[in-house]
Amino acid sequence: MSRPPVPPFTEESARVKVQAAEDAWNTRDPEKVAGAYTEDSVWRNRDGFVTGRDQIVEFLRRKWERELDYALRKELWAVLGDRIAVRFQYESRDASGQWWRSYGNEQWEFDGSGLMRRREASINDVRITEAERRIFGPRGEDEHGVDVLPLR
């Protein structure tokens, strides 16, 4: 199974990979997202560790049961060979209605077929009011490739 673009990545092909990841995560479909990872992919997400597609699917199901109205933006930070670094922000609300903005950085490593074999994510959460929201659903086609994440 191949998941183009494949390494070694250029800045252009890495941007395509980052946008594809953002688009997939915004579907909130655990199986669709997990399909971009190797069968034995290893994750560090915050303080948790996940190995393999089955655990990825279960992790994402639990995540999106808690993080309601999830909407994400990712931006390319750096690229080298089979590795891509991204920064991201997403917003969601919890069951009580409290809105959150989550800031993070990810380091990705890919196999030769373009599947991600390693993902390391560091994430911090900030309470926001509904009026402070700025990410509403998936990015429009006209925003693809545009860096839109302010620092705060």
Side-chain angles (χ1 to χ4, degrees):
M1 178 174 159
S2 182
R3 194 71 159 222
V6 300
F9 297 110
T10 63
E11 182 176 339
E12 181 181 336
S13 65
R15 286 188 185 281
V16 169
K17 201 68 153 176
V18 171
Q19 187 62 58
E22 176 185 307
D23 292 345
W25 280 68
N26 275 326
T27 68
R28 292 175 268 175
D29 179 337
E31 286 81 11
K32 179 176 182 136
V33 172
Y37 298 88
T38 62
E39 288 289 339
D40 60 350
S41 185
V42 177
W43 285 19
R44 181 189 55 79
N45 193 86
R46 299 176 191 256
D47 62 349
F49 296 87
V50 176
T51 302
R53 281 192 190 152
D54 291 341
Q55 287 185 16
I56 291 169
V57 168
E58 286 309 309
F59 170 86
L60 293 173
R61 280 195 182 120
R62 289 189 310 271
K63 172 184 180 62
W64 289 319
E65 287 172 1
R66 288 186 322 273
E67 296 177 351
L68 308 174
D69 297 320
Y70 174 97
L72 167 74
R73 296 292 182 272
K74 289 185 182 280
E75 292 181 356
L76 177 65
W77 189 259
V79 59
L80 180 63
D82 64 353
R83 295 181 177 156
I84 296 174
V86 299
R87 70 182 189 128
F88 64 88
Q89 293 177 26
Y90 69 84
E91 293 176 351
S92 63
R93 66 176 174 81
D94 61 27
S96 74
Q98 173 62 57
W99 283 94
W100 298 89
R101 181 172 303 124
S102 300
Y103 296 89
N105 299 291
E106 292 177 317
Q107 300 164 31
W108 300 342
E109 182 180 14
F110 294 85
D111 71 7
S113 66
L115 294 172
M116 194 182 304
R117 66 177 157 219
R118 185 178 183 99
R119 173 185 174 266
E120 296 188 29
S122 297
I123 307 167
N124 301 98
D125 304 308
V126 176
R127 286 178 184 262
I128 61 172
T129 65
E130 188 168 4
E132 293 174 298
R133 289 183 62 210
R134 60 177 178 240
I135 304 174
F136 301 92
R139 191 187 299 234
E141 291 283 330
D142 59 330
E143 292 182 295
H144 284 196
V146 177
D147 289 345
V148 295
L149 298 178
L151 190 53
R152 294 193 280 165

